Amino acid sequence: MGLRNIRVNDDPILKKKSRTVESFDERLHTLIDDMKDTMYNAEGCGLAAVQVGVLKRVIVVDTGDGAIELVNPEIIFAEGEQYETEGCLSLPGKSGITKRPMTVKVKAQDRNGKWCQYKGEGLKARAFCHEIDHLDGHLYTERLAPEEIIKQIKQEIETD
Ligand code: NI
C-alpha cells in the first residue's frame, strides 16, 4: 500500500493548474496506484493528483463499480443539470449543494497512453466534474448552487 498525504484546506497547491502528462512510465503507474490506495483509505469516491501534491493531470474515480484511472481527462459532452450534496477529501468535515451536469462524456488516456471514452451519469458525472475541476485549481465551493435553489431543496426535504 502506498498512502500519500492529502493536502487540505488552505494549502496553496490546491489552487494551481496541473500539467499535461507526457511520460507514461513507472513513476506515473506508482502515482496512480498510490492515489487509489489513498482514495480508498480515506473512503472517497475520487481523487486528483494535485490533492497528494503532484501537479499532473491524473484523477482516479470509483463510484461503486470499480476504479477508473484517467490521465489528461477532458469533458467532451455535458447535458442536463443536478443539484446534490458534494464534499471533498481536501475540505474535511464540510459539504455543500453544487450545480453539475447530469450526464457527461469524458475522454482520457489510460496509464499506458491509450485514449478511451467514459460516460458518467448522476454521481459518476459529479465525480468526473469535481476531479477534473481540481486539475485547474477549482474546488466544489466555486460551484455552489444559487441560494434560491438551495432553499427550495431544503423545503422539499422538510416536507417529504
Ligand atoms: Ni475534491
Side-chain angles (χ1 to χ4, degrees):
M1 276 255 284
L3 293 181
R4 303 210 185 185
N5 274 337
I6 298 179
R7 305 300 188 93
V8 295
N9 298 325
D10 294 329
D11 191 316
I13 201 168
L14 293 171
K15 302 264 165 157
K16 291 194 175 159
K17 200 170 157 74
S18 297
R19 290 181 291 269
T20 302
V21 172
E22 278 158 12
S23 306
F24 296 83
D25 52 10
E26 201 52 47
R27 209 179 151 85
L28 176 70
H29 297 178
T30 304
L31 170 67
I32 293 172
D33 291 337
D34 288 356
M35 284 171 63
K36 288 198 282 191
D37 288 343
T38 305
M39 171 181 71
Y40 289 128
N41 183 63
E43 296 178 7
C45 62
L47 193 73
V50 58
Q51 292 181 274
V52 294
V54 178
L55 286 168
K56 287 183 181 175
R57 302 189 77 83
V58 180
I59 65 172
V60 292
V61 167
D62 186 344
T63 52
D65 54 356
I68 310 174
E69 310 167 356
L70 303 102
V71 179
N72 300 326
E74 277 175 57
I75 295 171
I76 53 170
F77 173 83
E79 189 175 58
E81 53 188 43
Q82 56 174 322
Y83 297 92
E84 295 290 342
T85 302
E86 210 167 301
C88 178
L89 293 176
S90 291
L91 299 173
K94 293 182 188 146
S95 65
I97 296 173
T98 57
K99 180 186 180 183
R100 298 284 190 188
M102 182 55 91
T103 306
V104 295
K105 275 184 198 159
V106 176
K107 73 166 190 175
Q109 286 167 284
D110 69 12
R111 61 167 65 203
N112 298 309
K114 184 173 167 267
W115 284 97
C116 312
Q117 277 194 28
Y118 300 91
K119 190 178 176 186
E121 281 184 6
L123 174 60
K124 193 176 278 180
R126 287 212 300 286
F128 283 153
C129 293
H130 178 118
E131 301 311 332
I132 292 171
D133 265 356
H134 271 301
L135 303 181
D136 293 312
H138 298 300
L139 297 170
Y140 79 84
T141 45
E142 296 165 56
R143 308 286 184 211
L144 294 177
E147 209 46 54
E148 275 312 297
I149 288 173
I150 293 175
K151 256 189 236 163
Q152 250 180 42
I153 293 170
K154 281 186 181 152
Q155 271 169 6
E156 278 164 25
I157 293 168
E158 278 165 20
T159 53
D160 269 351

